[in-house]
mmCIF file of all heavy atoms in Angstrom:
data_model
loop_
_atom_site.group_PDB
_atom_site.id
_atom_site.type_symbol
_atom_site.label_atom_id
_atom_site.label_comp_id
_atom_site.label_asym_id
_atom_site.label_seq_id
_atom_site.Cartn_x
_atom_site.Cartn_y
_atom_site.Cartn_z
ATOM 1 N N ALA A 233 83.386 81.312 70.239
ATOM 2 C CA ALA A 233 83.148 82.575 69.668
ATOM 3 C C ALA A 233 84.301 83.470 69.818
ATOM 4 O O ALA A 233 84.979 83.487 70.747
ATOM 5 C CB ALA A 233 81.805 83.294 70.161
ATOM 6 N N ASP A 234 84.671 84.286 68.682
ATOM 7 C CA ASP A 234 85.807 85.157 68.830
ATOM 8 C C ASP A 234 85.438 86.375 69.621
ATOM 9 O O ASP A 234 84.300 86.673 69.899
ATOM 10 C CB ASP A 234 86.397 85.487 67.482
ATOM 11 C CG ASP A 234 85.427 86.342 66.636
ATOM 12 O OD1 ASP A 234 84.493 86.953 67.128
ATOM 13 O OD2 ASP A 234 85.613 86.387 65.359
ATOM 14 N N GLU A 235 86.503 87.183 70.007
ATOM 15 C CA GLU A 235 86.325 88.361 70.873
ATOM 16 C C GLU A 235 85.330 89.399 70.311
ATOM 17 O O GLU A 235 84.430 89.853 71.010
ATOM 18 C CB GLU A 235 87.663 89.015 71.066
ATOM 19 C CG GLU A 235 87.677 90.110 72.016
ATOM 20 C CD GLU A 235 89.111 90.673 72.340
ATOM 21 O OE1 GLU A 235 90.018 89.814 72.576
ATOM 22 O OE2 GLU A 235 89.313 91.857 72.344
ATOM 23 N N SER A 236 85.475 89.630 69.068
ATOM 24 C CA SER A 236 84.590 90.707 68.482
ATOM 25 C C SER A 236 83.082 90.272 68.521
ATOM 26 O O SER A 236 82.266 91.101 68.746
ATOM 27 C CB SER A 236 84.947 90.997 67.040
ATOM 28 O OG SER A 236 84.854 89.918 66.224
ATOM 29 N N ALA A 237 82.880 89.016 68.293
ATOM 30 C CA ALA A 237 81.425 88.469 68.311
ATOM 31 C C ALA A 237 80.898 88.548 69.719
ATOM 32 O O ALA A 237 79.687 88.914 69.978
ATOM 33 C CB ALA A 237 81.409 87.067 67.757
ATOM 34 N N VAL A 238 81.670 88.120 70.669
ATOM 35 C CA VAL A 238 81.238 88.164 72.079
ATOM 36 C C VAL A 238 80.941 89.609 72.575
ATOM 37 O O VAL A 238 79.860 89.931 73.176
ATOM 38 C CB VAL A 238 82.199 87.452 72.962
ATOM 39 C CG1 VAL A 238 81.802 87.608 74.478
ATOM 40 C CG2 VAL A 238 82.363 86.004 72.674
ATOM 41 N N VAL A 239 81.891 90.513 72.174
ATOM 42 C CA VAL A 239 81.761 91.902 72.582
ATOM 43 C C VAL A 239 80.436 92.493 71.942
ATOM 44 O O VAL A 239 79.698 93.219 72.641
ATOM 45 C CB VAL A 239 82.989 92.641 72.204
ATOM 46 C CG1 VAL A 239 82.772 94.185 72.384
ATOM 47 C CG2 VAL A 239 84.178 92.244 73.038
ATOM 48 N N ALA A 240 80.271 92.266 70.689
ATOM 49 C CA ALA A 240 79.092 92.792 69.996
ATOM 50 C C ALA A 240 77.802 92.344 70.643
ATOM 51 O O ALA A 240 76.824 93.040 70.861
ATOM 52 C CB ALA A 240 79.128 92.457 68.549
ATOM 53 N N ASP A 241 77.796 91.035 71.049
ATOM 54 C CA ASP A 241 76.578 90.482 71.713
ATOM 55 C C ASP A 241 76.447 91.089 73.104
ATOM 56 O O ASP A 241 75.288 91.416 73.475
ATOM 57 C CB ASP A 241 76.791 89.004 71.822
ATOM 58 C CG ASP A 241 75.466 88.323 72.472
ATOM 59 O OD1 ASP A 241 74.354 88.474 71.938
ATOM 60 O OD2 ASP A 241 75.644 87.761 73.573
ATOM 61 N N LEU A 242 77.477 91.370 73.826
ATOM 62 C CA LEU A 242 77.400 91.987 75.091
ATOM 63 C C LEU A 242 76.919 93.400 75.061
ATOM 64 O O LEU A 242 76.053 93.859 75.771
ATOM 65 C CB LEU A 242 78.721 91.919 75.843
ATOM 66 C CG LEU A 242 79.236 90.577 76.360
ATOM 67 C CD1 LEU A 242 80.634 90.698 76.822
ATOM 68 C CD2 LEU A 242 78.323 90.044 77.436
ATOM 69 N N PHE A 243 77.364 94.093 74.008
ATOM 70 C CA PHE A 243 76.768 95.486 73.758
ATOM 71 C C PHE A 243 75.344 95.416 73.503
ATOM 72 O O PHE A 243 74.550 96.331 74.002
ATOM 73 C CB PHE A 243 77.520 96.135 72.626
ATOM 74 C CG PHE A 243 78.982 96.623 73.009
ATOM 75 C CD1 PHE A 243 79.855 96.957 71.952
ATOM 76 C CD2 PHE A 243 79.361 96.777 74.234
ATOM 77 C CE1 PHE A 243 81.081 97.409 72.288
ATOM 78 C CE2 PHE A 243 80.633 97.119 74.563
ATOM 79 C CZ PHE A 243 81.504 97.536 73.543
ATOM 80 N N ARG A 244 74.867 94.484 72.696
ATOM 81 C CA ARG A 244 73.371 94.333 72.407
ATOM 82 C C ARG A 244 72.610 94.119 73.674
ATOM 83 O O ARG A 244 71.454 94.477 73.781
ATOM 84 C CB ARG A 244 73.236 93.248 71.425
ATOM 85 C CG ARG A 244 73.578 93.619 69.984
ATOM 86 C CD ARG A 244 73.013 92.562 68.960
ATOM 87 N NE ARG A 244 73.674 91.321 69.168
ATOM 88 C CZ ARG A 244 74.784 90.911 68.523
ATOM 89 N NH1 ARG A 244 75.330 91.737 67.651
ATOM 90 N NH2 ARG A 244 75.304 89.681 68.709
ATOM 91 N N ARG A 245 73.285 93.549 74.607
ATOM 92 C CA ARG A 245 72.554 93.176 75.920
ATOM 93 C C ARG A 245 72.722 94.209 76.948
ATOM 94 O O ARG A 245 72.223 94.033 78.012
ATOM 95 C CB ARG A 245 73.034 91.757 76.395
ATOM 96 C CG ARG A 245 72.811 90.668 75.426
ATOM 97 C CD ARG A 245 73.583 89.451 75.596
ATOM 98 N NE ARG A 245 73.279 88.918 76.959
ATOM 99 C CZ ARG A 245 74.126 88.187 77.631
ATOM 100 N NH1 ARG A 245 75.281 87.801 77.103
ATOM 101 N NH2 ARG A 245 73.792 87.625 78.828
ATOM 102 N N GLY A 246 73.355 95.354 76.647
ATOM 103 C CA GLY A 246 73.409 96.431 77.572
ATOM 104 C C GLY A 246 74.672 96.708 78.271
ATOM 105 O O GLY A 246 74.814 97.660 79.030
ATOM 106 N N VAL A 247 75.685 95.932 78.044
ATOM 107 C CA VAL A 247 77.053 96.104 78.590
ATOM 108 C C VAL A 247 77.637 97.358 77.955
ATOM 109 O O VAL A 247 77.579 97.506 76.771
ATOM 110 C CB VAL A 247 77.935 94.870 78.386
ATOM 111 C CG1 VAL A 247 79.352 95.181 79.003
ATOM 112 C CG2 VAL A 247 77.381 93.664 79.181
ATOM 113 N N HIS A 248 78.269 98.254 78.757
ATOM 114 C CA HIS A 248 78.881 99.448 78.198
ATOM 115 C C HIS A 248 80.375 99.346 77.926
ATOM 116 O O HIS A 248 80.823 99.941 76.980
ATOM 117 C CB HIS A 248 78.628 100.586 79.209
ATOM 118 C CG HIS A 248 77.189 100.900 79.483
ATOM 119 N ND1 HIS A 248 76.776 101.505 80.665
ATOM 120 C CD2 HIS A 248 76.055 100.761 78.691
ATOM 121 C CE1 HIS A 248 75.441 101.638 80.636
ATOM 122 N NE2 HIS A 248 75.006 101.181 79.444
ATOM 123 N N THR A 249 81.053 98.537 78.745
ATOM 124 C CA THR A 249 82.502 98.450 78.650
ATOM 125 C C THR A 249 82.987 96.995 78.837
ATOM 126 O O THR A 249 82.470 96.324 79.833
ATOM 127 C CB THR A 249 83.210 99.263 79.719
ATOM 128 O OG1 THR A 249 82.731 100.641 79.564
ATOM 129 C CG2 THR A 249 84.744 99.156 79.452
ATOM 130 N N VAL A 250 83.804 96.455 77.946
ATOM 131 C CA VAL A 250 84.329 95.104 78.038
ATOM 132 C C VAL A 250 85.800 95.210 78.126
ATOM 133 O O VAL A 250 86.468 95.796 77.197
ATOM 134 C CB VAL A 250 83.902 94.179 76.848
ATOM 135 C CG1 VAL A 250 84.551 92.817 77.046
ATOM 136 C CG2 VAL A 250 82.374 94.137 76.785
ATOM 137 N N LEU A 251 86.358 94.839 79.223
ATOM 138 C CA LEU A 251 87.899 94.889 79.428
ATOM 139 C C LEU A 251 88.412 93.476 79.294
ATOM 140 O O LEU A 251 88.053 92.536 79.931
ATOM 141 C CB LEU A 251 88.169 95.396 80.875
ATOM 142 C CG LEU A 251 87.554 96.746 81.254
ATOM 143 C CD1 LEU A 251 87.777 97.036 82.688
ATOM 144 C CD2 LEU A 251 88.140 97.854 80.344
ATOM 145 N N VAL A 252 89.382 93.374 78.391
ATOM 146 C CA VAL A 252 89.991 92.087 78.090
ATOM 147 C C VAL A 252 91.462 92.117 78.621
ATOM 148 O O VAL A 252 92.283 92.895 78.047
ATOM 149 C CB VAL A 252 90.016 91.756 76.529
ATOM 150 C CG1 VAL A 252 90.620 90.311 76.333
ATOM 151 C CG2 VAL A 252 88.536 91.809 76.102
ATOM 152 N N LYS A 253 91.747 91.342 79.641
ATOM 153 C CA LYS A 253 93.081 91.344 80.235
ATOM 154 C C LYS A 253 94.038 90.461 79.415
ATOM 155 O O LYS A 253 93.681 89.308 79.030
ATOM 156 C CB LYS A 253 93.010 90.810 81.663
ATOM 157 C CG LYS A 253 92.115 91.648 82.587
ATOM 158 C CD LYS A 253 92.020 91.014 83.921
ATOM 159 C CE LYS A 253 91.173 89.801 83.943
ATOM 160 N NZ LYS A 253 90.945 89.227 85.321
ATOM 161 N N LEU A 254 95.153 91.006 79.132
ATOM 162 C CA LEU A 254 96.149 90.337 78.224
ATOM 163 C C LEU A 254 97.459 90.069 79.001
ATOM 164 O O LEU A 254 98.489 89.801 78.275
ATOM 165 C CB LEU A 254 96.382 91.155 77.033
ATOM 166 C CG LEU A 254 95.162 91.643 76.213
ATOM 167 C CD1 LEU A 254 95.538 92.613 75.126
ATOM 168 C CD2 LEU A 254 94.542 90.367 75.559
ATOM 169 N N GLY A 255 97.457 90.062 80.287
ATOM 170 C CA GLY A 255 98.707 89.760 81.025
ATOM 171 C C GLY A 255 99.837 90.738 80.766
ATOM 172 O O GLY A 255 99.565 92.021 80.845
ATOM 173 N N ALA A 256 100.983 90.316 80.422
ATOM 174 C CA ALA A 256 102.159 91.217 80.186
ATOM 175 C C ALA A 256 101.898 92.104 79.015
ATOM 176 O O ALA A 256 102.639 93.056 78.778
ATOM 177 C CB ALA A 256 103.404 90.363 80.000
ATOM 178 N N ASP A 257 100.910 91.771 78.086
ATOM 179 C CA ASP A 257 100.678 92.574 76.920
ATOM 180 C C ASP A 257 99.640 93.715 77.207
ATOM 181 O O ASP A 257 99.228 94.463 76.377
ATOM 182 C CB ASP A 257 100.141 91.777 75.831
ATOM 183 C CG ASP A 257 101.187 90.775 75.254
ATOM 184 O OD1 ASP A 257 102.345 91.243 75.264
ATOM 185 O OD2 ASP A 257 100.863 89.659 74.815
ATOM 186 N N GLY A 258 99.167 93.887 78.526
ATOM 187 C CA GLY A 258 98.296 94.971 78.896
ATOM 188 C C GLY A 258 96.816 94.489 78.870
ATOM 189 O O GLY A 258 96.477 93.466 79.343
ATOM 190 N N ALA A 259 96.041 95.328 78.149
ATOM 191 C CA ALA A 259 94.596 95.071 78.130
ATOM 192 C C ALA A 259 93.994 95.825 76.961
ATOM 193 O O ALA A 259 94.513 96.718 76.396
ATOM 194 C CB ALA A 259 93.890 95.489 79.375
ATOM 195 N N ARG A 260 92.773 95.298 76.544
ATOM 196 C CA ARG A 260 92.015 96.002 75.488
ATOM 197 C C ARG A 260 90.695 96.438 76.173
ATOM 198 O O ARG A 260 90.099 95.634 76.898
ATOM 199 C CB ARG A 260 91.657 95.044 74.294
ATOM 200 C CG ARG A 260 92.740 94.991 73.259
ATOM 201 C CD ARG A 260 92.183 94.316 72.004
ATOM 202 N NE ARG A 260 91.949 92.859 72.278
ATOM 203 C CZ ARG A 260 92.882 91.876 72.184
ATOM 204 N NH1 ARG A 260 94.107 92.209 71.859
ATOM 205 N NH2 ARG A 260 92.589 90.614 72.412
ATOM 206 N N ALA A 261 90.271 97.550 75.851
ATOM 207 C CA ALA A 261 88.970 98.116 76.360
ATOM 208 C C ALA A 261 88.044 98.318 75.158
ATOM 209 O O ALA A 261 88.309 99.112 74.290
ATOM 210 C CB ALA A 261 89.182 99.413 77.166
ATOM 211 N N HIS A 262 86.896 97.641 75.158
ATOM 212 C CA HIS A 262 85.926 97.779 74.136
ATOM 213 C C HIS A 262 84.813 98.707 74.696
ATOM 214 O O HIS A 262 84.291 98.366 75.740
ATOM 215 C CB HIS A 262 85.340 96.460 73.671
ATOM 216 C CG HIS A 262 86.288 95.496 73.080
ATOM 217 N ND1 HIS A 262 86.433 95.416 71.722
ATOM 218 C CD2 HIS A 262 87.150 94.592 73.697
ATOM 219 C CE1 HIS A 262 87.348 94.451 71.467
ATOM 220 N NE2 HIS A 262 87.845 93.968 72.606
ATOM 221 N N THR A 263 84.438 99.732 73.946
ATOM 222 C CA THR A 263 83.299 100.474 74.295
ATOM 223 C C THR A 263 82.531 100.764 73.015
ATOM 224 O O THR A 263 83.102 100.517 71.883
ATOM 225 C CB THR A 263 83.708 101.891 74.953
ATOM 226 O OG1 THR A 263 84.329 102.729 73.942
ATOM 227 C CG2 THR A 263 84.602 101.738 76.100
ATOM 228 N N PRO A 264 81.332 101.273 73.047
ATOM 229 C CA PRO A 264 80.651 101.569 71.795
ATOM 230 C C PRO A 264 81.338 102.570 70.883
ATOM 231 O O PRO A 264 81.076 102.691 69.659
ATOM 232 C CB PRO A 264 79.301 102.165 72.256
ATOM 233 C CG PRO A 264 79.076 101.523 73.661
ATOM 234 C CD PRO A 264 80.474 101.405 74.164
ATOM 235 N N ASP A 265 82.356 103.327 71.462
ATOM 236 C CA ASP A 265 83.145 104.295 70.660
ATOM 237 C C ASP A 265 84.314 103.640 69.916
ATOM 238 O O ASP A 265 85.055 104.315 69.158
ATOM 239 C CB ASP A 265 83.718 105.376 71.562
ATOM 240 C CG ASP A 265 82.577 106.281 72.095
ATOM 241 O OD1 ASP A 265 81.493 106.433 71.433
ATOM 242 O OD2 ASP A 265 82.588 106.737 73.261
ATOM 243 N N GLY A 266 84.627 102.392 70.293
ATOM 244 C CA GLY A 266 85.773 101.662 69.617
ATOM 245 C C GLY A 266 86.570 100.901 70.594
ATOM 246 O O GLY A 266 86.175 100.619 71.776
ATOM 247 N N VAL A 267 87.808 100.540 70.213
ATOM 248 C CA VAL A 267 88.637 99.669 70.981
ATOM 249 C C VAL A 267 89.927 100.463 71.340
ATOM 250 O O VAL A 267 90.515 101.098 70.453
ATOM 251 C CB VAL A 267 89.087 98.403 70.233
ATOM 252 C CG1 VAL A 267 89.952 97.527 71.109
ATOM 253 C CG2 VAL A 267 87.837 97.665 69.703
ATOM 254 N N ARG A 268 90.338 100.340 72.539
ATOM 255 C CA ARG A 268 91.603 101.024 73.017
ATOM 256 C C ARG A 268 92.472 100.011 73.618
ATOM 257 O O ARG A 268 92.028 99.225 74.489
ATOM 258 C CB ARG A 268 91.347 102.178 73.980
ATOM 259 C CG ARG A 268 92.543 103.005 74.499
ATOM 260 C CD ARG A 268 92.193 104.011 75.455
ATOM 261 N NE ARG A 268 91.714 105.139 74.718
ATOM 262 C CZ ARG A 268 92.428 106.178 74.160
ATOM 263 N NH1 ARG A 268 93.740 106.090 74.357
ATOM 264 N NH2 ARG A 268 91.868 107.123 73.528
ATOM 265 N N HIS A 269 93.732 100.004 73.296
ATOM 266 C CA HIS A 269 94.689 99.123 73.883
ATOM 267 C C HIS A 269 95.615 99.899 74.879
ATOM 268 O O HIS A 269 95.944 100.954 74.569
ATOM 269 C CB HIS A 269 95.665 98.423 72.762
ATOM 270 C CG HIS A 269 96.624 97.513 73.444
ATOM 271 N ND1 HIS A 269 97.908 97.963 73.803
ATOM 272 C CD2 HIS A 269 96.534 96.255 73.730
ATOM 273 C CE1 HIS A 269 98.538 96.891 74.305
ATOM 274 N NE2 HIS A 269 97.858 95.847 74.260
ATOM 275 N N ALA A 270 95.782 99.253 76.051
ATOM 276 C CA ALA A 270 96.637 99.866 77.083
ATOM 277 C C ALA A 270 97.723 98.898 77.366
ATOM 278 O O ALA A 270 97.489 97.706 77.701
ATOM 279 C CB ALA A 270 95.837 100.181 78.347
#
Side-chain angles (χ1 to χ4, degrees):
D234 64 22
E235 184 173 315
S236 60
V238 175
V239 169
D241 182 59
L242 289 171
F243 285 165
R244 284 192 293 270
R245 296 164 60 203
V247 176
H248 299 153
T249 305
V250 180
L251 303 173
V252 183
K253 297 175 291 187
L254 305 172
D257 293 325
R260 275 189 296 272
H262 297 263
T263 71
D265 294 328
V267 183
R268 177 179 288 271
H269 180 268

